[in-house]
Amino acid sequence: MTTDSRHYWGIDIGGTSIKCGLVNSAGETVAFEQVPTLESDGPQAAVDRLASTIREVETRTNTTGNVPRIGMGAPGPMDLPRGMLVAPPQLPSWWEFPLCAKLTEATHRPISFLNDANAAAYGEFWLGSGAKGSSMILLTLGTGVGGGIIVEDQLVNGVNSFGSECGHIIVDPSPDAQLCAWGGGRGQLEAYASASGVVMRTRHRLAEYPQSKLRPFHGEAGSELTAKKIWEAASEGDDFANLIIDETAHWLGIGVTNLVHTLDPGHVALGGAMNFGGSECEIGRRFLAGVTEEFRQRTFPNVFEGTTISFATLGHEAGYLGAAGYARKQDS
């Protein structure tokens, strides 16, 4: 069997669904399946569903015997050496379950296990926005802020399986800084640049802007406010919504500066669902420009000139592609 004939499974575990991609050595997706997580059924039931899916797809694609390794990304906190999820809030029944050992037992393959944001980062590094370099940082902007770091072709996983948790760096040291909604501390990047942080900041200040299109979400209706609705209001010219997005770029630019000054990767990619329309939208382009300008003001000229900040390009495929790519790397 030649290297080019090998395929790798990339599995991206989420709270509601699990993405499963069979990927060849060139990074092409040969088959893709999405199975329900069904968290309340427990992790063993999910392992059984995954094993059944793997057998069925390999039979259908005639790849049985050519898939030596499985890559799997999952949300943290996690224990990578033991192959376990420690306490991810979206998967409470999976805590302390020997996930890797059970999937190996069911499929007879070794597992390359990594944090889901690190998996997405490796996908962007292998096939996406960071493919031309040897180092990069990915920040995933969603309900929280995830992070993935590659330095000289190596993922930063950390001694405590907490490496690359960029959302928990401190950007505001003031005593009244905003609290992270997901178990982190005060003043962390996630408290300011995640969808939950953006919504919280908006709700706190809505009373100051009675003319805003977001005013109906003041008070008890605030639970219905989302980052998408803030973006929609900004797209309609709402000054307050645009101010919130510009301030989000400010905080994210501070975080990017801290990370670049620590690692100097040459490239920072912004992924995740909260991109305010991304490169296809004027608001998204202004958001990216705001992050870049904040970084320019806070860094050194040669560092700014040597660093690219862009939107990620792989979208929802980054996680399973990165998990497959990491399995490929560990198989070489």
Side-chain angles (χ1 to χ4, degrees), residues 281-311:
C281 171
E282 180 184 351
I283 301 296
R285 292 192 294 270
R286 196 184 79 235
F287 172 64
L288 180 63
V291 175
T292 303
E293 176 59 18
E294 190 70 36
F295 172 59
R296 185 194 67 78
Q297 292 181 18
R298 294 176 179 273
T299 193
F300 299 86
N302 64 311
V303 178
F304 177 74
E305 292 297 328
T307 303
T308 301
I309 304 173
S310 70
F311 286 117

Side-chain angles (χ1 to χ4, degrees), residues 121-122 124-126 128-138 148-156 164 259-260 262-269 306-310 329:
Y122 200 82
E124 290 289 336
F125 174 69
W126 181 31
S129 59
K132 293 182 179 180
S134 62
S135 303
M136 72 169 290
I137 297 168
L138 174 71
I149 296 172
I150 295 100
V151 177
E152 299 299 329
D153 301 325
Q154 299 297 319
L155 269 174
V156 177
S164 305
L259 292 165
V260 170
T262 304
L263 298 161
D264 192 19
H267 179 58
V268 178
T307 303
T308 301
I309 304 173
S310 70
K329 175 181 174 62

Side-chain angles (χ1 to χ4, degrees), residues 142-216:
T143 306
V145 174
I149 296 172
I150 295 100
V151 177
E152 299 299 329
D153 301 325
Q154 299 297 319
L155 269 174
V156 177
N157 288 315
V159 173
N160 298 297
S161 305
F162 199 72
S164 305
E165 286 287 357
C166 304
H168 296 297
I169 65 172
I170 305 299
V171 295
D172 183 359
S174 60
D176 59 347
Q178 191 157 294
L179 275 168
C180 173
W182 298 99
R186 191 176 296 277
Q188 296 181 355
L189 180 62
E190 188 167 82
Y192 291 86
S194 67
S196 57
V198 166
V199 167
M200 190 179 303
R201 286 173 32 234
T202 302
R203 291 177 63 188
H204 286 170
R205 297 174 61 187
L206 262 177
E208 303 170 30
Y209 296 87
Q211 303 305 315
S212 172
K213 296 178 185 294
L214 300 172
R215 180 65 177 181

Side-chain angles (χ1 to χ4, degrees), residues 226-286:
T226 65
K228 182 179 180 181
K229 290 176 179 176
I230 295 167
W231 166 62
E232 290 171 347
S235 299
E236 295 172 3
D238 187 274
D239 290 340
F240 176 52
N242 276 292
L243 174 64
I244 289 292
I245 292 174
D246 290 344
E247 289 180 348
T248 303
H250 160 78
W251 291 113
L252 192 58
I254 293 174
V256 166
T257 304
N258 289 335
L259 292 165
V260 170
H261 285 182
T262 304
L263 298 161
D264 192 19
H267 179 58
V268 178
L270 307 181
M274 197 193 72
N275 61 5
F276 301 114
S279 59
E280 304 301 316
C281 171
E282 180 184 351
I283 301 296
R285 292 192 294 270
R286 196 184 79 235

Side-chain angles (χ1 to χ4, degrees), residues 23-29 126-127 321 328:
V23 181
N24 66 20
S25 290
E28 299 165 332
T29 300
W126 181 31
L127 300 168
L321 286 170
R328 172 181 173 269

